[in-house]
Amino acid sequence: HAYWRLPKEGAPIEMALPRKSSMICWFKGEIVFSLEEDWTPRAGGETFLRGALLSMPWEVAAAGSSDAPIRIIHQPGPRESLGGVSRAKSKLVVTLYENVKGASYAYDFADGAWSRERIDLPPHGAVGVVSAFPDTDIVFINVESFVDPATLIAVNVATGERLGEKSAPARFNADGLVVEQHEAASSDGEKIPYFLVRRADMAFDASTPTLLYGYGGFEISMTPSYSGVRGKLWLERGGAFALANIRGGGEFGPAWHQAALQTRRQTGFDDMIAVAEDLVARKVTSPDHLGVMGGSNGGLLVGALYVQRPDLFNAVVCQVPLLDMLRYHLLLAGASWVGEYGDPEKPEERVFLERISPYHNVSADKTYPEIFFVTSTKDDRVHPGHARKMAARIAEQGHDFSYYENIDGGHSAAANLKETARRMALEYVWLTRKLA
C-alpha cells in the first residue's frame, strides 16, 4: 500500500515510504515506520531488512522525496522481533522480544541519531505497553509470565523511575514450579525454541503428563502468559506444560512467519513434531503421557499431527479447527486466508494442500490417539463443518473420538464465562483421564 499526504492546497503527494511498511507515529520531526520486507531505497545503496524499525525526516518524506535520510531505530537480530511501539512525551517506547522474552526500551532522537535505555522490568515474561500518550512521560506497562500474574507497572520513561505497580491476584499455587527454555532441532536443522513449565522435583522418568501447545500462523507470536485455569487444573496437579514457538508465528519477525507460509506449511508441522520428540528424548514424558492442543490455525496444526505422527501422542485437543484444506476458502472467512495457506483453485497449490489436509489424509488402516473436537454452531470465522466432517469420517473408519459443539459462542466456542468454564473443564478433565 502507499501513504499519501493531503495538503490543504494542491494535489495529493505520495510519501517516500516503502509499499510494504507500517507507518507508526510522528516523533520529534521523524516519521517512524517498520518494514514488512527487505527494502533498498536507492540502487546500489544500503538494504534495510524486514522487521526493522526505521525513521526519516517528516518534511522530506511528506514531500515525496526519495533522498530522505533513513535512520535505523532498531534492526532485530535473528532471534529478535518487534513487539510494539508507543509514543510518550519525550521518548519512544519500543517493546522487543529477545528469544521470545519481552523487554522495553526508551528511545530518544537528537542530532540526527537514535539512542536507547532499557526500562527496568521483571525478566523472562511477556511485556506490553497498556497506556502511553504524547502529553506525558508516565507509561503503564503490563508484565506477566507463566507463574506470575499480570502486573501493571507505572514508569516515568524520561527518568527511568518506576513509580508503582499493582498485580492481579494469584489464581493458583506456583510454589515449586520452574520455567525453562529449550530448543529442538527441526527437520531442516533450524533450532525451534519452546518453554517448559514443570515441577522442580519432577522425575525425568518419562511419566509426567505433559500438554504441548502451539499455533504457528499469521505472524502471531506465542509468548509467556499467565493462566489460572491451566495452573489450577493442570500444573497444580503435577502436569507439565510446553509452549512451542514454531515457524509460521511472528516470534522472530516476518522471516519466521514466511518460512511456513502457503506451500511451506509443513515446515511448521515439522517444528512441532521436533518439539514433541525433544520432550520425549529429555524423558520429561512419553507418547503415552503426551497430549497436544491447538485452536483455529492451531487446530489445523494438531489435526495434521494427528494424521502424520499418531505414534507421538495419546491425546489431541482440536479446537475450532480448519481440517478440510481443499474447501476452506469456500467457508465463512476462509477466502481471506488464501494468502496464508495457498489457493486450492491453483493446481500446484491444491496438490500441496491435499497432502497436508487432515481430512484427506486420515486412514482406516492406521491407529490413532483419541482426538477431542471442540467447536461452536455459531462460529462465524472457521465453519464448524470442518470438525463435523472430520468426526464423521473417523467415526466411519472406526477410530475413537470425543466431540463438543457449543450452540453459542462464535470462534471461542463459549458465549460467556460460564460456558468458557464448562469448555475448559471438559478439556482438562479429558486430558487428565487420557494422560495421567
Side-chain angles (χ1 to χ4, degrees), residues 102-265:
S104 284
Y105 294 87
Y107 281 79
D108 200 0
F109 180 76
D111 300 325
W114 290 90
S115 60
R116 74 175 190 178
E117 292 184 1
R118 187 175 180 125
I119 298 173
D120 179 26
L121 297 172
H124 309 311
V127 175
V129 174
V130 175
S131 175
F133 296 98
D135 58 353
T136 178
D137 277 319
I138 298 175
V139 174
F140 290 88
I141 302 174
N142 186 76
V143 181
E144 65 180 283
S145 74
F146 292 107
V147 295
D148 300 305
T151 300
L152 190 63
I153 302 174
V155 180
N156 185 327
V157 293
T159 64
E161 180 185 4
R162 283 170 60 169
L163 305 176
E165 61 185 61
K166 183 71 173 179
S167 295
R171 299 299 183 185
F172 67 95
N173 183 3
D175 293 344
L177 292 176
V178 295
V179 180
E180 301 170 333
Q181 190 178 35
H182 300 291
E183 290 183 337
S186 192
S187 56
D188 61 357
E190 181 68 69
K191 296 298 176 65
I192 309 303
Y194 69 92
F195 292 99
L196 175 64
V197 189
R198 63 172 179 85
R199 298 208 65 78
D201 58 359
M202 182 196 78
F204 286 87
D205 59 2
S207 68
T208 300
T210 302
L211 176 60
L212 171 61
Y213 189 90
Y215 186 78
F218 296 91
E219 206 173 340
I220 295 173
S221 300
M222 294 289 101
T223 55
S225 64
Y226 187 84
S227 168
V229 172
R230 182 174 64 225
K232 200 72 180 174
L233 301 186
W234 193 252
L235 297 173
E236 268 193 17
R237 299 168 66 127
F241 175 75
L243 179 66
N245 300 115
I246 64 176
R247 283 171 286 185
E251 285 84 349
F252 301 136
W256 197 251
H257 171 226
Q258 293 164 16
L261 199 61
Q262 298 182 343
T263 55
R264 298 182 291 274
R265 199 115 209 128

Side-chain angles (χ1 to χ4, degrees), residues 69-86:
I70 299 159
R71 320 185 210 272
I72 297 176
I73 303 173
H74 185 76
Q75 173 66 66
R79 299 304 249 189
E80 290 183 333
S81 66
L82 181 65
V85 181
S86 301

Side-chain angles (χ1 to χ4, degrees), residues 43-128:
E46 183 178 2
T47 295
F48 301 94
L49 303 181
R50 57 188 170 184
L53 185 64
L54 308 174
S55 76
M56 63 173 67
W58 157 255
E59 293 294 340
V60 183
S65 172
S66 60
D67 295 326
I70 299 159
R71 320 185 210 272
I72 297 176
I73 303 173
H74 185 76
Q75 173 66 66
R79 299 304 249 189
E80 290 183 333
S81 66
L82 181 65
V85 181
S86 301
R87 179 186 168 186
K89 184 177 181 179
S90 67
K91 305 286 183 179
L92 198 66
V93 183
V94 179
T95 298
L96 301 175
Y97 275 88
E98 300 160 338
N99 203 26
V100 208
K101 296 183 286 286
S104 284
Y105 294 87
Y107 281 79
D108 200 0
F109 180 76
D111 300 325
W114 290 90
S115 60
R116 74 175 190 178
E117 292 184 1
R118 187 175 180 125
I119 298 173
D120 179 26
L121 297 172
H124 309 311
V127 175

Side-chain angles (χ1 to χ4, degrees), residues 35 126 192 255 270 290:
L35 294 182
I192 309 303
D270 289 347
L290 179 58

Side-chain angles (χ1 to χ4, degrees), residues 9-23:
E9 298 180 0
I13 300 171
E14 183 175 354
M15 297 177 65
L17 294 173
R19 288 298 181 96
K20 290 196 174 181
S21 65
S22 295
M23 187 167 67

